[in-house]
Amino acid sequence: MQDLDFTEKTVLVSGGGAGIGRAIAQAFGERGARLVIAEIDEQRCRAVREALAAADVEAQVSATDVREREQVEQLMREVEQRSAASTCWSTTSAISAAW
């Protein structure tokens, strides 16, 4: 992925506040992507927001429970308003809800 350029692309990462999700978000950010991070934990939201800002990565970090349909729909409306469409969606959060 080192030679890929995501400049002007929007990447949504669920579970992007820690672990693999955070590493994925950082990798896309390093390659120029605008990030949208859905993270259920408020403390991890703050931490990843601060880390990405320090790395000069454009990121919208949202306290979103991806098990809740309404929260996902709201997040997608926000993404569409800001950047027209997401280019990529990486789901690293564990989901166990039936819609």
Side-chain angles (χ1 to χ4, degrees):
M1 190 164 134
Q2 292 176 353
D3 60 342
L4 297 177
D5 182 9
F6 285 86
T7 303
E8 301 301 317
K9 308 283 191 242
T10 300
V11 176
L12 192 149
V13 181
S14 68
I20 293 170
R22 184 166 173 165
I24 289 169
Q26 289 173 322
F28 276 111
E30 289 169 1
R31 286 153 186 85
R34 291 182 302 252
L35 297 174
V36 178
I37 297 177
E39 171 58 55
I40 194 170
D41 184 275
E42 292 276 353
Q43 206 168 13
R44 289 191 299 233
C45 282
R46 281 189 296 278
V48 74
R49 185 180 298 114
E50 291 170 5
L52 292 170
D56 201 29
V57 173
E58 182 181 346
Q60 171 187 348
V61 182
S62 175
T64 301
D65 183 345
V66 297
R67 298 172 298 177
E68 299 294 330
R69 182 182 202 114
E70 298 81 20
Q71 290 185 34
V72 173
E73 289 172 348
Q74 176 61 36
L75 178 60
M76 294 314 297
R77 283 191 293 274
E78 292 171 12
V79 170
E80 289 171 356
Q81 289 174 351
R82 290 185 65 175
S83 60
S86 63
T87 303
C88 177
W89 188 329
S90 173
T91 304
T92 60
S93 52
I95 302 172
S96 62
W99 287 358

